[in-house]
Amino acid sequence: MRAIWKGAVSFGLVSVPVKLYAATESHDVSFRQVHAKDGGRIRYQRICSLDGEEVPYADIAKGYETEDGEMVILTEDDLAELPSASSREIAVEKFVPSDQIDPMLFEKSYYLEPEKTGTKPYALLRQALLAADRMAVVTVALRQRTTPAVLRVRDDVIVMQTMMWPDEIRTPDFTVESGEVKAAEVKMAKMLVETLAGDFDPAEFEDDYAGAVEAVVKAKIEGGEVTRTETSTKSAGEVVDLLAALQQSVEAAKQARGEAS
């Protein structure tokens, strides 16, 4: 794997230099749009919807469409004045019980690997999360945008999962009527649940669609049904005194809450 980001996790006065790796990859089947007669790729032009002319990249700007359909053009100067998120810090805001976070908020997952200078504080953070049975709520700047995330432990590795902002979760615009359910039906439903009860094993699930597509493609290749075209392609510093930093962090947190040392 190749690191996509380098920075440091900070909780209190403790800093853990880390590398960030994408923890997942998509195996979705993707198709190309081609000309059925000769297999040539279909190309798309950048056509202006008003004058019908093709627009070169140099003349393409960013536009924000308002709710009433008005288009506001944003210049490079406008974009430069927007808040910029370029911090290389994963800042721990608080440690919360794992069951308080709705799974719907989770977006993407990343592995955190400690730099050589961060092995000990990394192990400390990992052990603290396990012992407390909590997740660390953090903020991090990725792709020029600050986003909330959580840190948790998976197989001795700290995982960061970015989250949606609360207002990005849609509210269903329908209501579900509560039908009358008989006691006998509830009892039978419980029996069905017990019959199908078990532990989750992801290895039991297989992507049948992707496998079927690969089989069809392989059969066509072996049968010579292949069209060849010209376009065919395929850190941060070391923590000097870890205990002292932890003690100072605890004292600072207590003072912030108005508690006595």
Side-chain angles (χ1 to χ4, degrees), residues 90-110:
I90 301 174
V92 175
E93 306 295 339
K94 61 176 63 176
F95 295 92
V96 303
S98 302
D99 58 3
Q100 285 188 358
I101 301 179
D102 188 340
M104 283 189 68
L105 289 169
F106 293 139
E107 192 173 17
K108 294 184 179 180
S109 301
Y110 301 89

Side-chain angles (χ1 to χ4, degrees), residues 139-152:
T139 52
V140 59
L142 294 175
R143 301 180 184 88
Q144 301 301 312
R145 183 187 178 190
T146 299
T147 182
V150 296
L151 302 182
R152 64 182 183 87

Side-chain angles (χ1 to χ4, degrees), residues 7-9 13-18 115-119 121 235-240:
V9 179
L13 299 180
V14 178
S15 180
V16 188
V18 295
E115 300 276 13
K116 291 183 179 180
T117 58
T119 303
S235 113
E238 181 179 2
V239 177
V240 178

Side-chain angles (χ1 to χ4, degrees), residues 5-104:
W5 186 91
K6 290 184 179 182
V9 179
S10 65
F11 60 111
L13 299 180
V14 178
S15 180
V16 188
V18 295
K19 297 177 183 177
L20 197 70
Y21 299 89
T24 60
E25 59 182 355
S26 175
H27 288 161
D28 284 348
V29 176
S30 60
F31 298 103
R32 304 286 190 185
Q33 288 193 322
V34 298
H35 189 185
K37 181 174 66 174
D38 54 22
R41 291 274 302 278
I42 303 300
R43 302 295 184 184
Y44 293 92
Q45 295 177 311
R46 301 171 298 278
I47 303 297
C48 176
S49 62
L50 297 181
D51 59 23
E53 299 292 331
E54 183 175 1
V55 182
Y57 274 116
D59 293 341
I60 295 179
K62 288 183 171 61
Y64 182 91
E65 186 172 5
T66 63
E67 293 184 357
D68 57 3
E70 296 291 336
M71 190 66 67
V72 180
I73 307 299
L74 300 177
T75 66
E76 293 298 329
D77 291 339
D78 295 327
L79 297 175
E81 294 178 358
L82 296 177
S84 177
S86 58
S87 172
R88 288 288 172 175
E89 179 184 43
I90 301 174
V92 175
E93 306 295 339
K94 61 176 63 176
F95 295 92
V96 303
S98 302
D99 58 3
Q100 285 188 358
I101 301 179
D102 188 340
M104 283 189 68

